């Protein structure tokens, strides 16, 4: 039976692998005491990794190791960069230095570091198709750090490729116990179901995977196969269309990222990449792209504005507010940023700040009806009905066709009369 061994599926697997180890690497807490200078260099090196400026990251971590050759955190980060650059043999050699240092017993190393190091090696051996060695490393990772979902995920990945489906299912079940929203696991569960001639079960798993990560192309491709196996050709055709859309998305982003590797500070291109991610609901990638954009181009106003708007859509006002303040700092005439801050502060009941920003917007654009609407809302929430009525009356003068203002004005006047009658 033809199932899911498509180039598209394994392309996705490679991408997922890179994301997982990058996440664990960047979250690894140093296990030994460091000077302030070394900590600053570590942070700078990790920043380079986030921005995919790998040569600069290598230089930074090597600088730390030139002073302290047994710095475990720097060794781990350096090895991870080699892995991300596909310099796999050099990555293996560097990761193994951690075990050599541990065996010397001169430096204490906790089990978490051991676990992540074995995990990284397992991923490398998977990329080299050395699954037996990868399995050994993954088992060591699980033993060292049994409370981390990534360790079990790697085992499940390996067992699936070895067609040891019972073991794979056990590993994936454990993964989901530790991390229920691990979308990639549901993809692999769907694949196993397909290979075991269980298309209905596969459909269930792929639907969950798509719900959790709607931008992953391989899930649509394999879901189409599952529908075809049960004879639902209409649904299969629909999923193939979605697969083509996602494939186009990946082709676009892959091409742009290739160009950015040569020209990382290209603000316009990085902005385009972020907008493509947003359009395909890959929000984490969009946020990361905007963040990289403003780190590499700290004066690029559109980057702060776009990221602030995205955080607004995600209902994350605390992250959006400082970005719009940055927009205003870079461009004091950014009226729309004042309006957005007015709205954000209103949602937080910080009415003083909200009113101040809306008044700033009105100073710059005296006929901006949207800002007046915001002011009226502030007064209503504070119970200042007369002030709100005055604002709506003003809106109807500058925008006679503003139906919302007329309706609000009529409602408030009725409310005022009702209150006066009660007196």
């Amino acid at each position: 039976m033809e199932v899911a061994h498509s180039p598209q599926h394994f392309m996705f697997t490679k991408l997922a692998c890179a994301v997982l180890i990058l996440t664990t690497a960047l979250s690894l807490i140093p296990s030994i005491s460091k000077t302030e200078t070394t900590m600053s260099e570590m942070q700078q090196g990790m920043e380079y990794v986030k921005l995919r400026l790998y040569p600069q990251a290598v230089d930074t971590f090597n600088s730390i190791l030139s002073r302290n050759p047994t710095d475990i955190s720097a060794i781990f980060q350096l090895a991870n960069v080699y892995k991300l650059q596909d310099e796999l043999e050099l990555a293996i050699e560097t990761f193994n230095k951690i075990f050599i240092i541990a065996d010397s017993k001169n430096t204490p190393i906790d089990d978490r570091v051991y676990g992540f190091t074995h995990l990284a090696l397992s991923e490398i051996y998977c990329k080299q198709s050395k699954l037996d060695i990868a399995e050994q490393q993954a088992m060591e990772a699980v033993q060292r750090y049994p409370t981390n979902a990534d360790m079990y995920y790697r085992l499940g990945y390996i067992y699936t490729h070895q067609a040891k489906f019972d073991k794979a299912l056990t590993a994936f079940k454990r993964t989901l116990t530790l991390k229920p929203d691990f979308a990639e696991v549901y993809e692999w569960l769907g694949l196993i179901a397909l290979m075991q001639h269980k298309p209905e079960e596969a459909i269930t798993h792929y639907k969950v995977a798509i719900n959790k990560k709607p931008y992953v192309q391989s899930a649509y491709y394999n879901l189409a196969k599952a529908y075809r196996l049960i004879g639902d050709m209409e649904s299969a055709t629909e999923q193939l269309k979605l697969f083509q859309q996602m494939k186009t998305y990946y082709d676009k982003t892959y091409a742009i990222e290739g160009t950015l590797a040569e020209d990382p500070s290209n603000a316009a291109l990085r902005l385009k990449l972020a907008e493509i991610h947003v359009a395909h609901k890959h929000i984490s990638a969009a946020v990361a792209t905007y963040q990289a954009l403003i780190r590499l181009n700290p004066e690029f106003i559109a980057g702060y504005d776009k990221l602030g708007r995205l955080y607004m859509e995600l209902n994350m006002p605390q992250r959006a507010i400082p970005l719009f303040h940055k927009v205003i700092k870079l461009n004091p005439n950014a009226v729309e940023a004042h309006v957005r801050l007015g709205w954000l502060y209103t949602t937080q009941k910080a009415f003083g700040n909200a009113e101040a920003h809306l008044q700033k917007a009105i100073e710059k654009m005296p006929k901006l009806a949207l800002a007046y609407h915001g002011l009226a809302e502030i007064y209503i929430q504070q119970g200042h009905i007369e002030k709100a009525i005055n604002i709506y009356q003003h809106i109807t003068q500058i925008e006679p066709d503003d139906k919302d203002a007329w309706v609000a004005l009529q409602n408030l006047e009725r409310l005022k009369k009702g209150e006066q009658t009660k007196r």
Side-chain angles (χ1 to χ4, degrees), residues 39 57 60 108 111 118 134 149 153 195 234 250 254 261 274 277 286 297 302 328 347 358 390:
M39 285 298 297
T60 302
D111 281 343
H118 283 296
Y153 171 79
M195 297 180 75
E234 183 178 351
Y250 271 100
Y254 183 80
H277 285 315
N297 304 273
I328 292 169
T347 62
L358 291 171
N390 292 337

Side-chain angles (χ1 to χ4, degrees), residues 110-247:
D110 65 33
D111 281 343
R112 197 161 72 98
V113 177
Y114 272 116
F116 280 130
T117 304
H118 283 296
L119 174 63
L121 287 167
S122 179
E123 292 179 347
I124 292 172
Y125 287 123
C126 282
K127 293 178 83 171
Q128 294 180 325
S129 298
K130 299 177 181 178
L131 293 182
D132 289 343
I133 303 175
E135 180 184 355
Q136 294 172 10
Q137 293 291 337
M139 291 177 70
E140 285 285 347
V142 166
Q143 183 176 353
R144 289 288 188 173
Y145 197 9
T147 58
N148 184 275
D150 290 341
M151 313 300 175
Y152 294 96
Y153 171 79
R154 181 53 41 184
L155 264 183
Y157 171 99
I158 293 166
Y159 288 142
T160 302
H161 281 74
Q162 294 173 327
K164 300 176 181 177
F165 298 135
D166 288 343
K167 287 187 175 183
L169 291 171
T170 299
F172 286 138
K173 182 178 179 181
R174 180 59 177 159
T175 306
L176 293 176
T177 299
L178 294 168
K179 189 177 179 181
D181 290 330
F182 208 134
E184 292 82 357
V185 171
Y186 292 98
E187 269 221 83
W188 289 110
L189 291 174
L191 174 61
I192 292 171
L194 281 178
M195 297 180 75
Q196 292 182 327
H197 308 279
K198 300 175 181 178
E200 292 88 354
E201 184 178 324
I203 288 170
T204 299
H205 290 309
Y206 282 123
K207 283 183 175 180
V208 174
I210 289 170
N211 182 60
K212 293 183 180 299
K213 284 192 175 180
Y215 49 82
V216 177
Q217 58 174 317
S218 54
Y220 297 98
Y221 183 83
N222 288 322
L223 180 54
K225 286 187 175 184
Y227 277 126
R228 192 164 61 239
L229 287 171
I230 65 172
D232 187 347
M233 301 309 295
E234 183 178 351
S235 295
T237 301
E238 180 184 352
Q239 295 304 317
L240 282 176
K241 287 180 181 178
L242 293 170
F243 163 73
Q244 289 298 334
Q245 291 175 13
M246 292 301 159
K247 184 179 184 301

Side-chain angles (χ1 to χ4, degrees), residues 27-83:
S27 65
L28 187 65
I29 299 173
S31 58
I32 58 175
S33 177
K34 298 182 182 299
T35 66
E36 185 175 339
T37 300
T38 299
M39 285 298 297
S40 177
E41 279 190 278
M42 283 292 297
Q43 291 170 357
Q44 182 60 66
M46 293 164 71
E47 187 73 8
Y48 284 139
V49 176
K50 287 182 181 179
L51 298 173
R52 301 186 183 184
L53 301 176
Y54 299 137
Q56 293 92 323
V58 169
D59 290 343
T60 302
F61 296 131
N62 273 325
S63 174
I64 297 171
L65 292 171
S66 69
R67 299 190 304 272
N68 182 5
T70 60
D71 188 315
I72 298 299
S73 298
I75 294 171
F76 184 95
Q77 299 292 351
L78 178 60
N80 183 56
V81 175
Y82 290 144
K83 177 187 178 297

Side-chain angles (χ1 to χ4, degrees), residues 124-410:
I124 292 172
Y125 287 123
C126 282
K127 293 178 83 171
Q128 294 180 325
S129 298
K130 299 177 181 178
L131 293 182
D132 289 343
I133 303 175
E135 180 184 355
Q136 294 172 10
Q137 293 291 337
M139 291 177 70
E140 285 285 347
V142 166
Q143 183 176 353
R144 289 288 188 173
Y145 197 9
T147 58
N148 184 275
D150 290 341
M151 313 300 175
Y152 294 96
Y153 171 79
R154 181 53 41 184
L155 264 183
Y157 171 99
I158 293 166
Y159 288 142
T160 302
H161 281 74
Q162 294 173 327
K164 300 176 181 177
F165 298 135
D166 288 343
K167 287 187 175 183
L169 291 171
T170 299
F172 286 138
K173 182 178 179 181
R174 180 59 177 159
T175 306
L176 293 176
T177 299
L178 294 168
K179 189 177 179 181
D181 290 330
F182 208 134
E184 292 82 357
V185 171
Y186 292 98
E187 269 221 83
W188 289 110
L189 291 174
L191 174 61
I192 292 171
L194 281 178
M195 297 180 75
Q196 292 182 327
H197 308 279
K198 300 175 181 178
E200 292 88 354
E201 184 178 324
I203 288 170
T204 299
H205 290 309
Y206 282 123
K207 283 183 175 180
V208 174
I210 289 170
N211 182 60
K212 293 183 180 299
K213 284 192 175 180
Y215 49 82
V216 177
Q217 58 174 317
S218 54
Y220 297 98
Y221 183 83
N222 288 322
L223 180 54
K225 286 187 175 184
Y227 277 126
R228 192 164 61 239
L229 287 171
I230 65 172
D232 187 347
M233 301 309 295
E234 183 178 351
S235 295
T237 301
E238 180 184 352
Q239 295 304 317
L240 282 176
K241 287 180 181 178
L242 293 170
F243 163 73
Q244 289 298 334
Q245 291 175 13
M246 292 301 159
K247 184 179 184 301
T248 300
Y249 159 60
Y250 271 100
D251 289 344
K252 286 181 180 178
T253 56
Y254 183 80
I256 293 174
E257 286 171 352
T259 303
L260 287 173
E262 302 296 326
D263 184 14
S265 296
N266 189 323
L269 196 57
R270 203 173 287 275
L271 189 64
K272 180 180 178 181
L273 176 62
E275 290 171 347
I276 292 173
H277 285 315
V278 171
H280 289 83
K281 300 180 182 179
H282 195 168
I283 302 304
S284 60
V287 168
T289 304
Y290 282 131
Q291 289 174 337
L293 168 62
I294 58 182
R295 286 191 192 103
L296 292 165
N297 304 273
E299 305 297 312
F300 191 68
I301 296 173
Y304 297 98
D305 182 66
K306 293 284 189 179
L307 182 54
R309 293 186 191 197
L310 181 56
Y311 280 137
M312 283 183 70
E313 292 176 10
L314 296 172
N315 194 27
M316 301 173 74
Q318 293 291 358
R319 294 191 179 185
I321 286 172
L323 292 165
F324 290 122
H325 277 295
K326 184 68 175 181
V327 170
I328 292 169
K329 182 178 180 180
L330 293 170
N331 178 17
N333 294 316
V335 174
E336 189 171 339
H338 281 297
V339 174
R340 290 183 181 278
L341 283 169
W343 184 86
L344 287 165
Y345 280 124
T346 299
T347 62
Q348 295 189 313
K349 308 296 182 184
F351 298 123
N353 288 337
E355 183 174 358
H357 281 288
L358 291 171
Q359 293 287 8
K360 282 284 186 182
I362 290 169
E363 285 177 18
K364 297 179 184 299
M365 290 186 67
K367 293 186 177 182
L368 184 61
L370 185 61
Y372 287 105
H373 273 286
L375 275 181
E377 178 62 27
I378 291 172
Y379 295 145
I380 290 171
Q381 289 196 33
Q382 292 179 301
H384 303 322
I385 303 303
E386 190 65 41
K387 283 187 175 182
I389 288 174
N390 292 337
I391 292 293
Y392 281 123
Q393 287 175 338
H394 184 71
I395 296 174
T396 59
Q397 292 172 9
I398 61 176
E399 291 286 349
D401 296 329
D402 191 325
K403 294 181 181 180
D404 290 335
W406 283 108
V407 171
L409 178 58
Q410 291 170 3

